[in-house]
Amino acid sequence: MDDSLKTFLAIFLLETVTGLSSSIFTIISLSLAGFQRTNIVPLNMILMSLNISNVFFTVSNATFLFITILWPYFYSVSFLFYFLFYMATCTTTSSAWLTAILCFFYFMKIIPSRPGVLMDMKNKIGAIVWKLILMVGIFSLGGSFLSMLISLPKLNERNSTMNDIEILEENIKQQKKLINIIMMLNYLPLITVVVTTVASTWILKVYDGQMKKNSGTLVNTNVKGYRKAVHTMIGFLIFYVLLSITVIIISLDIFVSRSVGFCICSMVLLSFPTGQSTLLIYSNSGLKQILRKLFTLFTCRNSRE
């Protein structure tokens, strides 16, 4: 193993630890906030579900990438290959759909309160959040399982005389098909993020225009919070575009395993949970306050020592 590959593996490990730490921090913080209320508010319910999904996303994708780099011939072990790919597909789909729900939730809160269908949805969105999260879980598990069934029959049709190289090549072909299925499963969430982000940005500009007409007087006391929400949605959109491009590059086999290009794509993939957690902490004043207290406590403890 050359030095450059060792460097990339060290970066992958750092990204994995950072992604897990940031997601777990958010989960614990939201859980503690939930204990202070009778019911967990809908937004925190979405954020907790998203970060739990990101924990499994980090573990499954990191495991998949580490084994791919350290042991390329694991493709020839059908059971292990399909199990790891199932986990990666399921967690990626879950994170994508939960992010779409979060962006849709933000959009529902940002739109002005006017009589109509959107107003009815705005009033009901909080009550149906848990149902949407449950549907995401079922869809992610079921959709990923069906994607496995599409490819598994071909494995059973293999001739028993096939050697390891032929099995390896066949499994790589199946990987391309599975990645295409992943893109299909996550196409609608990406469209949802794009539409809600564009619409929310336009509504925010309308609010800003109304503020200017009123000589800087706030038209809505929530405009500052809306602005943070829109910035978070734009960040999600950028991350998901990068993630989609990365998955497409990997599926097209532009870079071979263990190459510099493949490792860079893997870095982008593993950076997603950390980036998403950072955006969520930025947009949530409660999480920022908890992080600030932890930083202050850590700094004071070090200064005493």
Side-chain angles (χ1 to χ4, degrees), residues 154-164 166-167:
K154 287 197 172 184
L155 289 177
N156 295 331
E157 294 171 2
R158 287 177 181 161
N159 192 317
S160 60
T161 60
M162 291 177 65
N163 56 42
D164 290 341
E166 291 174 328
I167 294 176

Side-chain angles (χ1 to χ4, degrees), residues 36 130 149-150 206 247 297:
Q36 299 174 4
W130 69 271
L149 292 181
I150 292 174
V206 173
V247 173
L297 180 63

Side-chain angles (χ1 to χ4, degrees), residues 128-246:
I128 65 173
V129 160
W130 69 271
K131 295 180 182 179
L132 294 176
I133 294 173
L134 180 61
M135 288 174 61
V136 166
I138 295 173
F139 178 79
S140 300
L141 293 170
S144 301
F145 181 72
L146 288 176
S147 68
M148 297 295 106
L149 292 181
I150 292 174
S151 297
L152 279 174
K154 287 197 172 184
L155 289 177
N156 295 331
E157 294 171 2
R158 287 177 181 161
N159 192 317
S160 60
T161 60
M162 291 177 65
N163 56 42
D164 290 341
I165 300 298
E166 291 174 328
I167 294 176
L168 175 61
E169 292 176 351
E170 181 64 25
N171 266 334
I172 291 176
K173 290 180 181 179
Q174 298 305 314
Q175 181 195 21
K176 290 182 181 180
K177 180 181 290 187
L178 289 172
I179 291 177
N180 291 332
I181 293 173
I182 291 177
M183 296 302 297
M184 292 175 61
L185 291 174
N186 295 288
Y187 180 75
L188 185 57
L190 180 60
I191 295 298
T192 302
V193 173
V194 171
V195 173
T196 54
T197 300
V198 172
S200 299
T201 303
W202 179 79
I203 294 173
L204 184 61
K205 287 186 177 181
V206 173
Y207 284 146
D208 289 337
Q210 292 176 349
M211 289 171 59
K212 290 179 181 179
K213 289 181 180 179
N214 288 274
S215 302
T217 303
L218 285 176
V219 177
N220 192 316
T221 56
N222 293 324
V223 169
K224 186 177 180 181
Y226 293 163
R227 188 172 288 110
K228 284 187 177 181
V230 170
H231 291 168
T232 303
M233 294 167 72
I234 293 173
F236 285 159
L237 180 57
I238 293 173
F239 272 115
Y240 269 102
V241 169
L242 289 175
L243 185 65
S244 299
I245 293 174
T246 301

Side-chain angles (χ1 to χ4, degrees), residues 22-275:
S22 57
S23 297
I24 292 173
F25 162 77
T26 305
I27 294 170
I28 294 175
S29 300
L30 292 172
S31 299
L32 293 175
F35 286 133
Q36 299 174 4
R37 301 182 178 90
T38 304
N39 296 315
I40 300 178
V41 295
L43 176 59
N44 286 358
M45 192 180 300
I46 299 173
L47 295 179
M48 285 185 64
S49 301
L50 179 57
N51 279 277
I52 291 172
S53 179
N54 283 342
V55 168
F56 289 102
F57 174 92
T58 303
V59 172
S60 59
N61 282 279
T63 302
F64 190 87
L65 290 172
F66 274 112
I67 293 180
T68 300
I69 293 174
L70 296 175
W71 182 37
Y73 277 88
F74 98 97
Y75 287 106
S76 61
V77 183
S78 300
F79 172 78
L80 179 60
F81 167 74
Y82 277 98
F83 174 76
L84 291 177
F85 213 97
Y86 173 78
M87 294 301 299
T89 305
C90 184
T91 54
T92 301
T93 303
S94 175
S95 295
W97 279 94
L98 288 171
T99 302
I101 291 176
L102 179 60
C103 289
F104 182 74
F105 182 86
Y106 283 147
F107 170 70
M108 285 289 102
K109 295 300 181 182
I110 291 174
I111 59 174
S113 299
R114 296 174 182 174
V117 177
L118 289 179
M119 183 62 184
D120 293 337
M121 294 179 63
K122 182 173 184 175
N123 293 332
K124 295 177 181 178
I125 185 66
I128 65 173
V129 160
W130 69 271
K131 295 180 182 179
L132 294 176
I133 294 173
L134 180 61
M135 288 174 61
V136 166
I138 295 173
F139 178 79
S140 300
L141 293 170
S144 301
F145 181 72
L146 288 176
S147 68
M148 297 295 106
L149 292 181
I150 292 174
S151 297
L152 279 174
K154 287 197 172 184
L155 289 177
N156 295 331
E157 294 171 2
R158 287 177 181 161
N159 192 317
S160 60
T161 60
M162 291 177 65
N163 56 42
D164 290 341
I165 300 298
E166 291 174 328
I167 294 176
L168 175 61
E169 292 176 351
E170 181 64 25
N171 266 334
I172 291 176
K173 290 180 181 179
Q174 298 305 314
Q175 181 195 21
K176 290 182 181 180
K177 180 181 290 187
L178 289 172
I179 291 177
N180 291 332
I181 293 173
I182 291 177
M183 296 302 297
M184 292 175 61
L185 291 174
N186 295 288
Y187 180 75
L188 185 57
L190 180 60
I191 295 298
T192 302
V193 173
V194 171
V195 173
T196 54
T197 300
V198 172
S200 299
T201 303
W202 179 79
I203 294 173
L204 184 61
K205 287 186 177 181
V206 173
Y207 284 146
D208 289 337
Q210 292 176 349
M211 289 171 59
K212 290 179 181 179
K213 289 181 180 179
N214 288 274
S215 302
T217 303
L218 285 176
V219 177
N220 192 316
T221 56
N222 293 324
V223 169
K224 186 177 180 181
Y226 293 163
R227 188 172 288 110
K228 284 187 177 181
V230 170
H231 291 168
T232 303
M233 294 167 72
I234 293 173
F236 285 159
L237 180 57
I238 293 173
F239 272 115
Y240 269 102
V241 169
L242 289 175
L243 185 65
S244 299
I245 293 174
T246 301
V247 173
I248 291 172
I249 291 174
I250 294 175
S251 65
L252 293 176
D253 278 345
I254 295 176
F255 303 111
V256 297
S257 178
R258 307 181 72 169
S259 66
V260 174
F262 179 84
C263 290
I264 291 175
C265 289
S266 301
M267 287 173 56
V268 174
L269 188 65
L270 289 179
S271 67
F272 177 73
T274 303

